């Protein structure tokens, strides 16, 4: 008996990937803000209505993986022994996710994101969702109850770690990807963890 559900999922993934490919080519060729949803749909050979079955907004095409990356970061963090201190565990988890991304593609997406206010805002919104996913594990590492939201320590550490990642990304883009992003992140973290800063 054929697996209709599996076939449907594969077809959906293929269409999703094709829309993403077409849209990214248009974004990189003519700019994010200059590219319309109608143009993406037409070039991909689908209707505007079909576009919205796959993406809620144009921004989701560029940043859709960001939510999934948050889940991957949470899984990576949970796999790191609780004996590893919070800052080191977060860095290790974030870089496990980063290694899965093609650096040239990541640079082009980052340039687009940092240069487009609507993408920037959407990116910040998605990073807030990362924070919700990572905080419970950091509470455990701090010896706190993972469900206790009254202590700000874990929230502050995770929010700062994510902000350091964002700052490192901005500097990396300004340098056209020539600097080591991991090293920029480490330096950003060290600057907020050092005494007197």
């Amino acid at each position: 008996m054929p697996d209709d559900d599996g076939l449907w999922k594969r077809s959906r993934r293929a269409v999703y990937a094709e829309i993403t490919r077409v849209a990214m080519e248009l974004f990189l060729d003519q700019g994010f803000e200059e590219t319309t949803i109608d143009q993406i749909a037409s070039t991909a050979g689908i209707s505007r209505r079909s576009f919205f079955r796959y993406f809620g907004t144009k921004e989701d095409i560029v940043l859709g993986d960001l939510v999934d990356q948050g889940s991957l970061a949470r899984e990576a963090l949970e796999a790191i022994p609780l004996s590893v201190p919070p800052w080191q565990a977060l860095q290790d988890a974030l870089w496990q996710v980063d290694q899965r991304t093609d650096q040239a593609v990541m640079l082009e997406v980052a340039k687009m994101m940092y240069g487009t206010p609507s993408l920037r805002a959407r990116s910040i919104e998605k990073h807030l969702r990362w924070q919700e996913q990572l905080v419970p594990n950091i509470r455990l590492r701090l010896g706190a109850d993972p469900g206790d939201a009254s202590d700000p320590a874990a929230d502050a550490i995770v929010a700062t770690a994510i902000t350091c990642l964002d700052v490192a990304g901005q500097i990396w883009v300004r340098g056209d990807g020539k600097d080591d992003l991991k090293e920029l992140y480490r330096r950003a973290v060290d600057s907020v963890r050092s005494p007197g800063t």
Side-chain angles (χ1 to χ4, degrees):
M1 183 174 185
D3 182 3
D4 291 339
D5 188 46
L7 178 61
W8 180 85
K9 285 180 181 174
R10 286 193 303 275
S11 296
R12 184 169 172 78
R13 279 195 302 269
V15 172
Y16 180 94
E18 179 62 10
I19 296 168
T20 301
R21 184 192 66 76
V22 165
M24 291 302 289
E25 284 178 5
L26 289 168
F27 294 154
L28 294 173
D29 183 49
Q30 61 192 29
F32 180 83
E33 291 176 331
E34 292 75 19
T35 303
T36 67
I37 289 172
D38 288 333
Q39 199 176 13
I40 295 166
S42 173
T43 306
I46 60 171
S47 68
R48 181 181 174 89
R49 184 174 173 185
S50 291
F51 173 90
F52 286 112
R53 286 191 194 120
Y54 292 90
F55 298 97
T57 67
K58 196 169 64 164
E59 287 78 7
D60 288 337
I61 297 170
V62 180
L63 301 173
D65 285 345
L66 215 51
V67 172
D68 293 337
Q69 287 175 354
S71 297
L72 292 172
R74 186 197 73 240
E75 289 168 11
L77 183 63
E78 289 172 353
I80 295 169
L82 289 175
S83 58
V84 176
W87 285 101
Q88 186 61 51
L90 281 167
Q91 180 172 314
D92 292 349
L94 292 170
W95 290 115
Q96 283 183 43
V97 173
D98 179 65
Q99 289 173 351
R100 301 175 190 203
T101 308
D102 178 273
Q103 296 293 298
V105 171
M106 190 165 75
L107 180 60
E108 291 307 312
V109 170
K111 285 179 180 177
M112 196 183 318
M113 184 194 69
Y114 288 116
T116 309
S118 64
L119 282 173
R120 189 83 176 92
R122 196 86 165 136
S123 166
I124 291 167
E125 176 189 320
K126 289 183 188 269
H127 276 155
L128 289 173
R129 289 161 100 189
W130 283 28
Q131 187 171 334
E132 292 170 8
Q133 295 183 65
L134 301 175
V135 162
N137 184 273
I138 298 304
R139 283 194 184 120
L140 282 175
R141 290 175 194 278
L142 293 171
D145 176 352
D148 178 14
S150 64
D151 183 354
D155 294 81
I157 289 170
V158 173
T160 304
I162 291 171
T163 299
C164 286
L165 184 62
D166 191 49
V167 167
Q170 288 178 51
I171 295 168
W172 185 64
V173 165
R174 282 199 303 257
D176 202 31
K178 291 182 178 66
D179 296 310
D180 182 338
L181 182 56
K182 187 173 183 178
E183 175 62 14
L184 289 170
Y185 175 71
R186 186 196 60 73
R187 287 170 53 201
V189 167
D190 286 351
S191 75
V192 296
R193 292 184 64 200
S194 299
T197 61

